[in-house]
Amino acid sequence: MAKQSELILALDVLEKEKGIDKEVIFEAIETSLLSAYKTNYDKAENVNVVMDRVTGEFHVYSVKEIVENVENPITQISVEKAKEINKKADLGETVNVEIYPKDFGRIAASNAKQTILQKIREEERRAIYSAFDDKEQDIVTGIVQKVNDRSIGIKLGQLDVVLTEREQVATEKFKPTDRIKVYITEIRKDPNNGKGNKILISRTHPGLVKRLFESEVAEIKDGTVEIKNISREAGSRTKMAVYSKDPNVDAVGACVGVNGARVNAVVEELQGEKIDIIEWNENPAILIENALSPSKVVSVLADPDEKTALVVVPDFQLSLAIGKEGQNARLAAKLTGFKIDIKSESQAKEEGIQYIFDDDDYYDDDEYYDDDEYYDEEEYDEYADDDSDEEIEDVEEEETEEDVEDIEDIEE
């Protein structure tokens, strides 16, 4: 009895210090004791184990139906005997008949201890993961614990997590005790015992770049500047499109900072990854032109319905526009959502592609150019071959589409 009273006191302490609901532990103990009883004594389905919430005593009951003539003494009891237990018992009802299995007290005490320890571990695990509830799709700082060939073990507070090979940047190197910022992509919780809880982290996710800029740029944090989209090839280059509704705020300049201080802080955290910050524009032609930075663009012929664009660049800018192994064009395509086909001016003329020259004042913010309207005879005449006396004629839409079919798209 004394030990049982100490058990109740211990549960009270657990409830106060660890925030573990005492009733949850009572129910868990009862479930484990019922399982123990059925394993060691009787597999009858009409047995209950109840723990007294005040004294901590364990009671085993056989639930029996009250009948006039007992045919099965395991599940039935006569009215007379039922009234000895409960004077109000009546025919057709049930009554709890307490049974006293030999040595059950010892088994019960052992099971109760195991159940309490298990419940403590589960609740502590839940509490640890609960601390990260508001950290999903956010960055946290951890300490590198162990570096393997394919994974990196990281300590996040009281929690051990793993940065998998897939979520690592190949060019980044870490060693034990290094501080590391990671992006939490997902928090998976096991509703049963918490053993399946898992936090997935990344160093390659574009969200890492977004959160780093939010921490460095006050205008992003307060909503003055908005990050519209990010395309990233982790460890190499990132393109980020930004926009501000306030005409007095330079969105790109705010992200770059004085003497590049803000963007350099992010680049340093990403261990030298290059970052292109461009201005977002609702006009797809202007957005695509911006996205191909640092390359200069002569003309952009965008089809917003098909999400395709033909871009003409100066001959000497072609390799810059495409980028090493197509990276610049690929990132621009991801950023804008358009399939981008890039041609030099010479290629465009050889293939009979007609386009409008894009000078600084040509595009209006509220318009874009598609296959129906990009060609202007007077504009094109300025750049026609001076030795050619051939008349430049309007090209029908069907002919233009046929010409463009052979152009190789640079896709995402």
Side-chain angles (χ1 to χ4, degrees):
M1 183 71 177
K3 287 184 179 180
Q4 292 169 339
S5 297
E6 289 174 4
L7 175 60
I8 298 297
L9 291 174
L11 295 181
D12 289 336
V13 172
L14 281 175
E15 189 169 46
K16 291 178 181 178
E17 293 184 356
K18 295 187 177 292
I20 303 175
D21 188 353
K22 190 164 60 175
E23 183 59 30
V24 172
I25 297 182
F26 279 135
E27 292 175 359
I29 292 174
E30 288 173 343
T31 300
S32 70
L33 293 182
L34 179 59
S35 176
Y37 175 84
K38 290 182 177 181
T39 300
N40 292 277
Y41 298 96
D42 191 349
K43 294 187 178 181
E45 294 300 321
N46 64 321
V47 174
N48 281 336
V49 178
V50 178
M51 183 177 179
D52 191 296
R53 270 42 172 180
V54 177
T55 65
E57 293 179 343
F58 308 111
H59 301 278
V60 183
Y61 296 102
S62 176
V63 183
K64 296 187 178 184
E65 182 185 3
I66 303 173
V67 295
E68 195 166 332
N69 298 312
V70 177
E71 296 179 357
N72 185 352
I74 296 176
T75 59
Q76 296 176 334
I77 188 173
S78 66
V79 178
E80 294 76 14
K81 289 188 176 181
K83 286 187 177 296
E84 293 177 5
I85 300 170
N86 183 357
K87 293 181 180 180
K88 295 181 179 180
D90 203 358
L91 196 65
E93 296 178 351
T94 59
V95 65
N96 290 332
V97 180
E98 187 165 6
I99 52 182
Y100 304 93
K102 186 178 180 182
D103 291 332
F104 188 66
R106 177 180 55 80
I107 295 173
S110 175
N111 268 38
K113 180 180 178 181
Q114 292 176 11
T115 301
I116 291 171
L117 292 175
Q118 179 183 349
K119 211 64 185 173
I120 290 172
R121 287 192 294 269
E122 290 175 6
E123 292 301 321
E124 286 179 338
R125 195 180 295 117
R126 286 195 179 95
I128 291 171
Y129 275 84
S130 295
F132 291 89
D133 281 347
D134 61 344
K135 295 296 184 181
E136 192 169 29
Q137 297 183 352
D138 203 352
I139 54 175
V140 293
T141 302
I143 305 295
V144 175
Q145 298 290 302
K146 190 175 182 180
V147 179
N148 297 321
D149 292 338
R150 294 190 175 182
S151 63
I152 299 175
I154 300 172
K155 193 81 169 179
L156 297 181
Q158 301 179 59
L159 190 64
D160 292 318
V161 296
V162 174
L163 183 63
T164 63
E165 184 179 24
R166 182 178 179 181
E167 299 300 331
Q168 295 175 41
V169 178
T171 57
E172 292 183 338
K173 302 300 177 185
F174 295 98
K175 60 182 183 300
T177 73
D178 281 351
R179 294 178 66 83
I180 182 174
K181 289 183 179 179
V182 294
Y183 181 79
I184 297 180
T185 58
E186 186 182 357
I187 298 176
R188 296 177 183 173
K189 288 192 174 182
D190 181 355
N192 298 319
N193 57 22
K195 287 184 178 180
N197 289 346
K198 195 172 185 180
I199 290 182
L200 305 182
I201 59 174
S202 175
R203 284 281 296 182
T204 63
H205 198 284
L208 177 65
V209 178
K210 181 180 180 181
R211 293 301 187 189
L212 288 172
F213 270 101
E214 287 176 348
S215 65
E216 291 292 336
V217 182
E219 290 85 349
I220 294 178
K221 189 175 292 185
D222 64 21
T224 304
V225 172
E226 180 184 354
I227 297 176
K228 283 289 192 176
N229 202 8
I230 294 176
S231 60
R232 184 184 184 203
E233 293 189 358
S236 180
R237 185 179 290 273
T238 287
K239 285 185 181 286
M240 183 174 75
V242 295
Y243 172 77
S244 176
K245 292 181 180 178
D246 188 340
N248 298 317
V249 175
D250 177 5
V252 174
C255 295
V256 172
V258 179
N259 296 323
R262 290 173 168 177
V263 68
N264 286 341
V266 177
V267 170
E268 184 178 353
E269 173 58 38
L270 298 177
Q271 299 193 12
E273 183 173 318
K274 295 178 177 64
I275 299 177
D276 297 334
I277 304 173
I278 66 117
E279 187 173 355
W280 173 270
N281 198 296
E282 293 295 337
N283 182 327
I286 298 176
L287 177 61
I288 291 167
E289 179 179 355
N290 293 345
L292 285 170
S293 174
S295 170
K296 301 299 180 183
V297 172
V298 171
S299 181
V300 179
L301 317 174
D303 185 342
D305 295 325
E306 297 296 326
K307 288 289 183 180
T308 59
L310 173 62
V311 178
V312 180
V313 300
D315 290 1
F316 68 95
Q317 292 271 292
L318 181 61
S319 60
L320 182 62
I322 295 173
K324 186 178 180 180
E325 298 179 349
Q327 185 187 68
N328 194 57
R330 190 164 56 246
L331 287 173
K334 289 180 182 178
L335 191 72
T336 61
F338 278 69
K339 294 180 181 179
I340 300 175
D341 177 21
I342 302 176
K343 295 290 182 182
S344 68
E345 288 184 283
S346 297
Q347 290 172 332
K349 289 176 182 179
E350 287 175 5
E351 296 178 22
I353 299 170
Q354 288 129 24
Y355 55 87
I356 294 175
F357 180 77
D358 174 22
D359 61 22
D360 291 341
D361 301 321
Y362 190 82
Y363 285 116
D364 183 83
D365 285 348
D366 296 325
E367 65 181 323
Y368 56 81
Y369 298 87
D370 59 20
D371 289 344
D372 291 328
E373 57 187 346
Y374 69 78
Y375 174 68
D376 182 276
E377 186 173 7
E378 292 182 3
E379 290 281 350
Y380 188 81
D381 281 344
E382 293 182 34
Y383 304 99
D385 189 339
D386 293 338
D387 297 328
S388 175
D389 295 327
E390 295 182 16
E391 181 181 356
I392 299 174
E393 300 177 348
D394 289 340
V395 179
E396 295 295 329
E397 179 181 2
E398 294 158 3
E399 294 174 340
T400 302
E401 291 179 350
E402 185 176 351
D403 288 337
V404 174
E405 281 179 359
D406 296 328
I407 299 172
E408 182 180 358
D409 290 335
I410 298 174
E411 298 183 22
E412 177 178 335

